Amino acid sequence: TLYDDDGERIFPDRQVNTVPVDMTHEERQFYRAVTDYVQNVYNRSEKLNEPAVGFAMALMQKRLVSSIGAIKATLSRRLGDLVDEQSSSTSLSEEASAYLDGEDLDEEDKERVEEELSALTVTESDAQLEEEIETLRDLVSLAEGISVDSKAQKVRRYIQQLLEEQPDEKLLLFTEYTDTLNYLLELVKDEPWADEILVIDGSVDKEERARIEEEFNHGQSRLLFATDAASEGIDLQHSCHIMVN
């Protein structure tokens, strides 16, 4: 616990609540199918000594957990890259190679590199590549058939309830991926409070970040949706007491 010169606590207590989400049958089916696909490609990467492909599969599993929107975008990009035969791990950019070696990147560079890595695969034959492409087509089709992302809908309902019951509160929503951020923004675009949403992602420069911080802290906007770009250098603790992650 940290205290200031007057003996007052600098940071208040934090209460962390985990909210359970019940997936639909379609979501569970999709989750299992993607997990099986990831495991199969990962095992192949281990067998053929292609660790970059294994890393790409780990990233895909994280996006699956993030949102239907994020994993659908990733699967669609991967499908397009494999069809275009842009999936060789021997032609990685310098940034991607550095990232695999543990180098830290800013958010924009990290997302760009992760998109590059998510296209990687390794196969033992043309037939195996065609089989993977067909699997990806099936997965994209399954994703398109999911009308409700249960986790995203729970977030939407939570925000709605909060603003109705505690209209003076403000809320900060963090998400790791821009794809998930955009998916949530699309989901809530018709809500009466949608015009109160401020957004910070890796494309927002320092001057605009400062303006958004000022508006959120002292203006009428009660909602800030952000990626990791807002996790450092922004002080919101005096105006916002609720964070969804």
Side-chain angles (χ1 to χ4, degrees), residues 37 48 57 74 123 134 137 143 145 160 167 171 210:
Y37 166 73
L48 300 177
M57 291 301 99
T74 300
T123 58
E134 286 306 310
R137 288 194 175 108
Q160 180 71 38
L171 178 142

Side-chain angles (χ1 to χ4, degrees), residues 29-42:
Q29 182 183 33
F30 176 66
Y31 191 97
R32 286 193 295 267
V34 174
T35 300
D36 287 345
Y37 166 73
V38 166
Q39 189 64 59
N40 287 336
V41 177
Y42 182 86

Side-chain angles (χ1 to χ4, degrees), residues 2-240:
L2 298 177
Y3 297 88
D4 61 20
D5 293 339
D6 297 323
E8 299 292 332
R9 293 181 59 177
I10 296 176
F11 301 111
D13 288 333
R14 290 191 299 174
Q15 295 181 345
V16 180
N17 298 313
T18 300
V19 179
V21 176
D22 294 323
M23 291 191 294
T24 64
H25 171 73
E26 290 78 11
E27 287 175 304
R28 289 194 298 271
Q29 182 183 33
F30 176 66
Y31 191 97
R32 286 193 295 267
V34 174
T35 300
D36 287 345
Y37 166 73
V38 166
Q39 189 64 59
N40 287 336
V41 177
Y42 182 86
N43 290 343
R44 199 161 69 222
S45 74
E46 291 275 283
K47 177 183 176 182
L48 300 177
N49 193 28
E50 288 284 355
V53 177
F55 188 82
M57 291 301 99
L59 293 176
M60 184 170 290
Q61 193 72 25
K62 286 178 64 179
R63 284 177 172 264
L64 172 62
V65 174
S66 181
S67 70
I68 297 296
I71 187 61
K72 179 183 173 183
T74 300
L75 290 168
S76 297
R77 285 192 293 262
R78 181 174 177 82
L79 174 60
D81 287 336
L82 264 61
V83 169
D84 293 339
E85 298 182 338
Q86 297 175 352
S87 57
S88 172
S89 61
T90 61
S91 57
L92 289 177
S93 66
E94 290 185 9
E95 278 187 327
S97 297
Y99 185 52
L100 288 172
D101 289 336
E103 183 174 315
D104 289 332
L105 302 175
D106 64 32
E107 183 181 310
E108 274 194 293
D109 290 340
K110 179 182 175 183
E111 289 218 10
R112 185 172 59 253
V113 163
E114 288 190 353
E115 282 189 20
E116 177 184 346
L117 293 174
S118 70
L120 299 180
T121 195
V122 58
T123 58
E124 297 176 281
S125 65
D126 290 343
Q128 199 171 59
L129 177 60
E130 286 300 320
E131 181 181 349
E132 181 173 351
I133 288 172
E134 286 306 310
T135 299
L136 284 167
R137 288 194 175 108
D138 290 342
L139 292 175
V140 171
S141 179
L142 281 174
E144 290 173 343
I146 297 175
S147 59
V148 175
D149 182 327
S150 297
K151 183 162 61 174
Q153 290 288 4
K154 179 153 282 193
V155 169
R156 181 189 61 78
R157 289 193 295 269
Y158 175 78
I159 294 173
Q160 180 71 38
Q161 183 178 356
L162 174 71
L163 297 182
E164 289 176 354
E165 296 179 357
Q166 303 180 60
D168 294 329
E169 279 289 359
K170 296 193 175 189
L171 178 142
L172 169 63
L173 184 146
F174 264 124
T175 181
E176 184 171 2
Y177 299 110
T178 302
D179 284 331
T180 296
L181 176 65
N182 292 335
Y183 181 72
L184 290 170
L185 290 171
E186 179 67 20
L187 177 69
V188 304
K189 67 179 182 180
D190 295 326
E191 297 293 340
W193 36 264
D195 59 352
E196 293 191 54
I197 300 173
L198 301 169
V199 177
I200 294 178
D201 60 21
S203 66
V204 177
D205 61 31
K206 290 183 178 180
E207 183 176 320
E208 180 65 7
R209 279 162 53 114
R211 187 199 67 77
I212 291 173
E213 179 183 358
E214 177 69 18
E215 166 62 22
F216 188 62
N217 280 330
H218 304 291
Q220 298 300 311
S221 296
R222 295 178 290 174
L223 302 169
L224 174 58
F225 286 17
T227 59
D228 284 347
S231 63
E232 296 181 3
I234 293 183
D235 183 6
L236 306 174
Q237 65 171 324
H238 298 296
S239 62
C240 178

